[in-house]
């Protein structure tokens, strides 16, 4: 019983201590375990199954646009990492170094990949010869390592899982289009599949990826008002191509450099799922990503016919959703709490009385609403209700985002908003790094992005220095 | 054109130089590229797509037996690796060591996992408390690193991809059943899906996995007569449990050690696919695992209507198989050679004359047979033909295996067979390590397995020392 107790023990309220609430959910929803390796977590079945669903769906969407999967070595020789100046400055301080193979010291140390631009470039320089070889639109699913000092499950760990796409194109324009196309795929995926609304935009120079010409981002808002960068897509121009010598013979028989992009989404997305949707009862998974969408809970299951009916419902429902029966010997109350903690979107309660009346009770995880339905068309009802839950969860999150964007017209309003109004703060910016640095130092807020398609002009002056403003920026504290 | 030429240039004949033939196929079928990291290869799209198909199918079969996927850290602290004596002796000499994180030396060095028994054990010792927590049937898909000196694509590389299952059970018997169940899954998968016949059996003490009580294996036979260990399944008894202190409280309220297993299949399986089925025209993929099963090749594609018809056939066939159109501007001859090199199981030729006669020509990759069919029921014909190819490829490989097993009744026959008769050699063995060592030293052959369900008694004396024989053993040179 000790394990059951742990499961349904109250967790910290998210309004009291959000960080503790997060840690409680992560552990009690059985998503991860801590490992003996500092800063590395173990993905338990419930946590990994979420990633498997994310991966399967995103991979399908990638492939529909011509992406092909490959696998590159986990190690990067130091000399390769150093080829692109900005890139090495960004990553070298935080990598793990392999210095021995077996009992021998290596002549050149190897880092465990923190990201694979350099190995893709090293590959492309031989792989790409002619305009016929372009574009190359490759992606890999793998783990990467960054030697972080402070770590938190899913959000920041020394090893994490992700996908990294790396493409090469004949023209800058084609690379730019691919960069934006992938950003759109991320945005649509986050909104449709994970029910997480996003703000799309471009990063400032300060915040862009090491070595990129421009970085596009999708930013989402957590319940505590902090932003989470949920995926990024980078246009490298021909910077890496020049550093690595990636040239192709064009139709006119001249040698030209390729233009490149990269784009990635990581397991921190699971952190976003938790922090956007979860509540004081635990995890709350949108149906599309939920490994188990429906849990059938038999009531008075020792009574004749109840378990049989539960299995029968499971068989019927398995044609329209991912469904399980909780036939353990725990009480229904325990089971309710457990399945809520685990974020199962819909519960089906079935007991002797229900069977008598040829009905079942559906309980929504998102609203707690109970709906008694006739068993006759349970497949259609459940199917439709899962769609409703998915849409409603998105709408709730979208409303939350919309009501957590404040506008600041001057520095006083800005610091007040950052301090007292959880969420994004929109404010005008002069375009200078100094103002970003000052804002970060004084408020801990960072520029999240310059949004696409938002022409709002809140002022003609920079919110920080008062000089002429160039851009509207979304600012916020961030994970 | 340089790339096309490379593609259809003749490759080394497999009967002239099998090793060179293998290298030619691996490169010209576009499966891998060599990387700047010695001993690590790059999986190109055609190579990785094979692994994706293997993974998807095997993963499905695992899950049908209750396997759940997890993900464990890539690093193992040295102290953890050392906990099980035999295990550390087996692996420590061939691992890559991380000694620095960022700019700091680590207080304890970490190896990049060569296999994850130790991290799973470290996890299970906290995760498993009660009989209610058993069994644990976990698996992970990941890459592992072993610092090999000699490497060959797919067969032996410093980094390779695999799955590793790690289970914990209440009883020895349950662990033994799981060990055998997983071996059966591998055997069936290899035979049904990859058309590779196998010999199932148990490894000798000398050949078993470091730390295992017993190791089961599926051995397959390559075209050159060498064996390839295609998957293994280990029963650890309670050895690791005792080394790591993995105990649970049983129903009778006493503390007991768990019994464990592990089992794995790797990307060397792709090497087996190549070496079992390939021929002098290149790769030959069984339809079930082939990323592209059918290639439509338009003939005289510039003539009006030909390309349209090719696309129409592709659309129709895509309902029953994975199909593409080769609409590049290469000549049909080039295309035929290319698709043969890549191992596409079936080619559909469609030209103006065929269109006139409402027909197409199907060409089997396995037999080169040409079959003219009416377009009216092309879906059914192609679908059935793919099944036939799959079965025929298995039968050809099975016949090859059966005709490449020799029996040796004494040491002269044995050395002669190992030297002159490519394939497995069956011979009786006394059970002593000394004879295995001597045989390996003098002939380079190793004991592949003690086969299941083969009661043949070739002699009552050991083929090596003449002492009383205990077991029939399959011997062979091996990859």
């Amino acid at each position: 019983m000790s394990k059951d107790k742990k499961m349904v023990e109250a967790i910290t309220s998210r309004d009291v201590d959000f960080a503790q609430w997060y840690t409680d959910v992560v552990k009690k929803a059985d998503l991860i375990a801590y490992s003996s390796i500092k800063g590395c977590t173990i993905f338990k079945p419930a946590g990994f199954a979420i990633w498997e669903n994310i991966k399967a769906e995103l991979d399908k969407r990638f492939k529909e646009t011509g992406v092909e999967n490959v696998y590159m070595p986990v190690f990067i020789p130091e000399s390769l990492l150093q080829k692109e100046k900005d890139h090495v400055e960004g990553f070298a301080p935080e990598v793990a170094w392999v210095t021995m193979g077996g009992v021998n010291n290596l002549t050149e140390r190897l880092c465990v990949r923190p990201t694979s631009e350099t190995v893709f470039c090293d590959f492309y320089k031989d792989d790409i010869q002619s305009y016929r070889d372009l574009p190359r639109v490759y992606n890999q699913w793998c783990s990467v390592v960054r030697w972080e000092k402070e770590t938190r499950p899913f959000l920041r760990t020394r090893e994490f899982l992700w996908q990294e796409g790396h493409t090469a194109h004949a023209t800058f324009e084609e690379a730019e289009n691919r960069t934006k196309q992938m950003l759109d795929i991320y945005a649509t995926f986050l909104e449709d599949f994970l029910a997480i609304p996003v703000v799309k935009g471009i990063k400032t120079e300060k915040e862009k990826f090491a070595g990129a010409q421009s970085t596009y981002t999708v930013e989402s808002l957590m319940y505590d008002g902090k932003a989470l960068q949920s995926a990024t897509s980078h246009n490298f121009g021909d910077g890496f191509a020049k550093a690595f010598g990636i040239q192709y013979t064009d139709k006119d028989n001249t040698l030209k450099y390729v233009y490149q992009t990269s784009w990635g989404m990581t397991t921190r997305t699971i952190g976003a799922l938790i922090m956007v949707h979860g509540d004081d009862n635990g995890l709350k998974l949108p149906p599309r990503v939920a490994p188990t969408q429906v849990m059938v809970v038999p009531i008075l299951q020792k009574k004749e016919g109840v378990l049989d009916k539960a299995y029968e419902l499971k068989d019927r429902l398995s044609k329209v959703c991912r469904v399980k029966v909780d036939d353990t010997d725990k009480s229904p109350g325990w089971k309710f709490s457990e399945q809520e903690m685990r974020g199962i979107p819909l519960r089906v309660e079935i007991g002797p009385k229900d069977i008598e009346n040829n009905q079942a009770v559906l309980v929504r995880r998102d609203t707690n609403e109970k709906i008694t339905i006739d068993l006759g068309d349970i497949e259609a009802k459940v199917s439709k209700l899962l769609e409703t839950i998915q849409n409603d969860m998105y709408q709730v999150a979208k409303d939350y985002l919309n009501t957590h964007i404040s506008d600041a017209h001057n520095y006083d309003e800005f610091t007040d908003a950052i301090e007292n109004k959880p969420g994004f703060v929109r404010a005008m910016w002069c375009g200078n790094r100094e103002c970003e640095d000052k804002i970060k130092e004084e408020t801990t807020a960072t520029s999240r992005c310059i949004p696409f398609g938002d022409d709002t002009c809140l002022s003609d002056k920079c919110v920080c220095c008062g000089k002429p403003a160039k851009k509207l920026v979304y600012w916020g504290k961030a994970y």
Side-chain angles (χ1 to χ4, degrees), chain A residues 5-22:
Chain A
K5 263 186 198 157
K6 258 189 255 168
M7 179 65 68
V8 292
E9 228 168 55
I11 56 174
T12 310
S13 164
R14 64 181 172 160
D15 290 318
V16 170
D17 182 344
F18 192 74
Q20 187 58 48
W21 169 84
Y22 179 78

Side-chain angles (χ1 to χ4, degrees), chain A residues 249-265:
Chain A
T249 308
D250 205 353
K251 286 176 189 167
D252 62 7
N253 219 27
T254 62
L255 271 179
K256 292 179 183 164
Y257 287 105
V258 301
Y259 294 85
Q260 291 175 271
T261 82
S262 81
W263 23 274
M265 182 183 269

Side-chain angles (χ1 to χ4, degrees), chain A residues 75-93:
Chain A
F75 298 123
I76 306 176
E78 185 166 18
S79 55
L80 212 56
L81 191 67
Q82 289 174 336
K83 280 209 173 178
E84 211 285 340
K85 196 182 128 287
D86 292 335
H87 191 70
V88 64
E89 276 176 19
F91 284 103

Side-chain angles (χ1 to χ4, degrees), chain A residues 134-424:
Chain A
L134 294 173
R136 284 283 191 254
V137 187
Y138 290 173
N139 173 66
Q140 70 176 356
W141 294 89
C142 62
S143 86
V144 287
V145 168
R146 297 178 187 176
W147 217 250
E148 307 279 0
K149 287 195 182 71
E150 303 279 322
T151 61
R152 299 191 64 192
F154 299 122
L155 301 175
R156 196 171 294 275
T157 46
R158 287 188 170 172
E159 182 189 16
F160 58 90
L161 304 175
W162 78 348
Q163 57 68 219
E164 48 177 326
H166 297 269
T167 72
H169 306 268
T171 65
F172 177 83
E173 194 188 12
E174 197 183 298
E176 179 68 8
N177 288 343
R178 177 54 77 168
T179 314
K180 287 188 169 157
Q181 180 182 22
M182 299 320 289
L183 192 79
D184 285 341
I185 286 180
Y186 291 133
T188 314
F189 173 78
L190 282 157
E191 300 202 327
D192 289 357
F193 199 74
L194 305 183
I196 296 176
V198 298
V199 175
K200 284 197 282 186
I202 184 169
K203 288 282 185 191
T204 61
E205 285 294 304
K206 174 182 164 76
E207 298 291 335
K208 75 181 190 185
F209 182 80
Q213 187 160 323
S214 50
T215 290
Y216 300 114
T217 180
V218 278
E219 302 281 323
S220 50
L221 185 70
M222 306 299 105
Y223 178 78
D224 64 346
K226 278 189 175 173
L228 188 131
Q229 175 182 302
S230 301
T232 48
S233 186
H234 317 289
N235 187 340
F236 292 121
D238 57 5
F240 274 93
K242 285 183 171 160
F244 283 81
I246 312 172
Q247 289 182 296
Y248 69 98
T249 308
D250 205 353
K251 286 176 189 167
D252 62 7
N253 219 27
T254 62
L255 271 179
K256 292 179 183 164
Y257 287 105
V258 301
Y259 294 85
Q260 291 175 271
T261 82
S262 81
W263 23 274
M265 182 183 269
T266 81
T267 35
R268 80 187 324 221
T269 311
I270 300 174
L273 269 176
I274 299 167
M275 292 193 291
V276 168
H277 299 301
D279 64 17
D280 287 354
N281 293 324
L283 189 60
K284 197 190 275 184
L285 290 171
R288 287 191 193 140
V289 74
T292 302
Q293 297 172 309
V294 176
M295 183 63 73
V296 179
V297 180
I299 314 289
L300 297 173
Q301 68 185 38
K302 284 181 184 163
K303 291 233 172 172
E304 206 190 318
V306 173
L307 268 178
D308 286 345
K309 195 67 176 181
Y311 295 135
E312 183 200 315
L313 290 184
K314 186 203 145 196
D315 285 346
R316 286 175 59 186
L317 288 172
S318 65
K319 278 158 203 130
V320 296
C321 63
R322 298 183 287 271
V323 54
K324 284 187 179 171
V325 175
D326 185 347
D327 55 7
T328 59
D329 57 6
K330 298 164 191 165
S331 75
W334 283 117
K335 294 180 186 180
F336 297 166
S337 299
E338 258 190 43
Q339 306 313 337
E340 279 168 14
M341 182 64 73
R342 290 177 174 157
I344 315 289
L346 192 62
R347 178 168 87 225
V348 177
E349 302 176 5
I350 181 88
K353 275 203 178 155
D354 300 307
I355 296 172
E356 232 175 82
N357 298 323
N358 198 42
Q359 67 183 34
V361 180
L362 309 184
V363 186
R364 291 174 60 162
R365 172 65 182 90
D366 63 328
T367 59
N368 226 15
E369 189 189 351
K370 293 190 177 207
I371 307 153
T372 303
I373 59 150
D374 189 88
L375 292 185
D377 57 352
I378 190 169
E379 296 93 336
K381 286 264 171 59
V382 162
S383 202
K384 199 171 160 216
L385 193 50
L386 289 173
E387 276 304 294
T388 305
I389 293 172
Q390 180 82 30
N391 296 335
D392 288 358
M393 285 181 73
Y394 174 74
Q395 204 49 57
V396 166
K398 180 79 177 166
D399 291 345
Y400 197 82
L401 170 62
N402 288 341
T403 53
H404 288 77
I405 301 174
S406 347
D407 290 345
H409 303 83
N410 55 53
Y411 202 63
D412 280 349
E413 282 182 25
F414 185 82
T415 50
D416 176 61
I418 291 292
E419 193 64 29
N420 301 313
K421 296 179 186 164
F424 290 113

